[in-house]
Amino acid sequence: MHLIICIDDTDSKTSEKGTGAIAEEIMALVAERYDAKTTYVTRHQFLIHPDIPYTSHNSSMCFECDVDDDIDLDALISECFEYLKKESAPESDPGLCVADVSKMDAELLVKYGKECKRKVMTIESAYETAKKAHVFLDEAGGSGQGVIGAVGGVGLRYWGCDGTLKGKPKGLSDECNHKVSELTANKLIDAVIDLDGNELGPDEVVYLEKKPKVSLENHKLVILVDKKIDGVWQIMEKNKARWRGGNTIFKEGCNEFTPDVEEERVSDSDEKNCYNCLYRRWLENGILCQKPYSQNEL
């Protein structure tokens, strides 16, 4: 049984333990108690907007694991939930989503995850989506706001083109040059790619900055580079990497796309994308979709 487990909104401005640390602890718990083969924790960035309460970045933490088909899934979920409830800050609004990939409605979850990056979503929409998609979702305190990011994070992790690895791969010296072959020898780096999505050859040289971000793209863990200086590739800035999945979503548009007036479009073409849509509103860290919609559209 392949599971995707995601948590959100577990910390406060004064708490010492972040959501990523709790996700790693839950992952270790599942590995130990259920002999699960676990992967890695990814961070998924959602819309930054005044109407959305968040501690620092409005992001959720997610991991995948494989367990025996005959395990007691309800017991596993209960242990994860109780641990989340115990370790979350008193002022937080934590949520937990657990999905059995073989039974979930993947298309619906991916759609919801993408919506969380461009719309202000509601707690009600999260529960409605979880019900329709056949996944577990519950709140562990406070307002329960974290259920939105929890179910959205599951969708984005399954999509495989959004998120950054928590922390950095061990065993690599930073603030120095590395050949691509050295980087990809690490089990948490599958490739190094440029802005056009092209994989760099093994002999290309990359300057690895302090705490480099590893991104999830096309189900691979990759280091993103965006320019070359004196023959050496420079990695993409952390904030750019964080919003990489959002940029992909904005470019692909959605079924509600309506062309804006010509003078307001980013490009001269009628290309279907959020940047050229009548319903988009520019924000400092992304785009907000102003298209009205109901629960029936999820």
Side-chain angles (χ1 to χ4, degrees):
M1 188 188 311
H2 188 71
L3 305 178
I4 303 179
I5 300 176
C6 188
I7 63 173
D8 190 23
D9 210 338
T10 69
D11 54 0
S12 68
K13 294 186 183 298
T14 57
S15 59
E16 296 182 0
K17 185 183 294 187
T19 304
I22 295 177
E24 287 184 326
E25 291 170 3
I26 292 175
M27 184 169 68
L29 181 153
V30 172
E32 180 181 351
R33 301 279 180 87
Y34 296 91
D35 195 27
K37 182 181 294 184
T38 59
T39 55
Y40 45 82
V41 173
T42 49
R43 174 186 183 280
H44 299 275
Q45 175 69 56
F46 300 115
L47 182 69
I48 300 294
H49 188 274
D51 291 342
I52 302 175
Y54 58 89
T55 305
S56 57
H57 297 296
N58 189 28
S59 57
S60 65
M61 293 287 182
C62 193
F63 67 91
E64 299 180 54
C65 63
D66 289 305
V67 296
D68 291 338
D69 290 338
D70 59 355
I71 64 118
D72 186 340
L73 183 57
D74 289 337
L76 183 153
I77 291 173
S78 180
E79 285 202 63
C80 292
F81 184 81
E82 290 304 318
Y83 192 91
L84 175 68
K85 191 173 182 179
K86 176 172 67 77
E87 295 298 323
S88 295
E91 308 90 347
S92 64
D93 309 301
L96 169 71
C97 184
V98 180
D100 178 347
V101 172
S102 68
K103 297 178 180 178
M104 72 184 195
D105 186 331
E107 183 178 355
L108 182 58
L109 289 168
V110 171
K111 178 181 178 182
Y112 190 81
K114 291 179 179 181
E115 296 284 76
C116 288
K117 295 181 79 74
R118 59 185 173 191
K119 289 184 179 180
V120 178
M121 309 299 281
T122 65
I123 293 173
E124 293 74 22
S125 72
Y127 278 117
E128 183 71 16
T129 299
K131 182 179 179 180
K132 290 181 179 180
H134 312 295
V135 299
F136 171 87
L137 182 68
D138 203 0
E139 57 200 71
S143 69
Q145 188 78 18
V147 295
I148 299 172
V151 69
V154 167
L156 292 173
R157 177 68 181 251
Y158 181 82
W159 180 41
C161 295
D162 180 86
T164 55
L165 183 72
K166 180 190 178 296
K168 71 171 187 176
K170 296 179 180 178
L172 292 174
S173 301
D174 50 25
E175 298 186 275
C176 64
N177 292 339
H178 289 269
K179 282 189 174 183
V180 169
S181 58
E182 296 173 21
L183 298 176
T184 54
N186 189 290
K187 66 178 182 179
L188 289 176
I189 301 176
D190 297 316
V192 180
I193 65 172
D194 64 19
L195 287 175
D196 296 322
N198 301 312
E199 292 193 15
L200 271 59
D203 293 326
E204 293 278 6
V205 179
V206 178
Y207 177 73
L208 204 63
E209 295 180 354
K210 190 174 182 180
K211 296 183 178 179
K213 279 297 174 187
V214 177
S215 301
L216 192 61
E217 185 145 332
N218 294 321
H219 301 279
K220 290 183 177 181
L221 289 171
V222 305
I223 287 182
L224 302 164
V225 294
D226 60 0
K227 58 185 175 182
K228 218 173 185 182
I229 298 178
D230 296 330
V232 177
W233 287 96
Q234 310 296 306
I235 65 172
M236 187 180 292
E237 293 177 12
K238 182 170 67 174
N239 286 340
K240 287 184 180 179
R242 182 179 295 163
W243 286 99
R244 175 79 171 183
N247 287 336
T248 302
I249 292 167
F250 300 148
K251 288 178 181 178
E252 71 182 20
C254 68
N255 293 332
E256 287 81 36
F257 171 78
T258 303
D260 202 348
V261 294
E262 187 174 351
E263 60 267 24
E264 294 296 334
R265 298 177 200 167
V266 172
S267 62
D268 294 332
S269 70
D270 291 328
E271 185 179 355
K272 174 185 170 182
N273 61 55
C274 292
Y275 298 116
N276 288 341
C277 183
L278 176 68
Y279 296 112
R280 61 94 174 87
R281 297 293 181 272
W282 296 103
L283 299 174
E284 183 179 356
N285 291 308
I287 293 176
L288 173 66
C289 179
Q290 293 286 64
K291 168 71 167 62
Y293 70 100
S294 65
Q295 292 294 314
N296 293 330
E297 292 186 55
L298 291 174

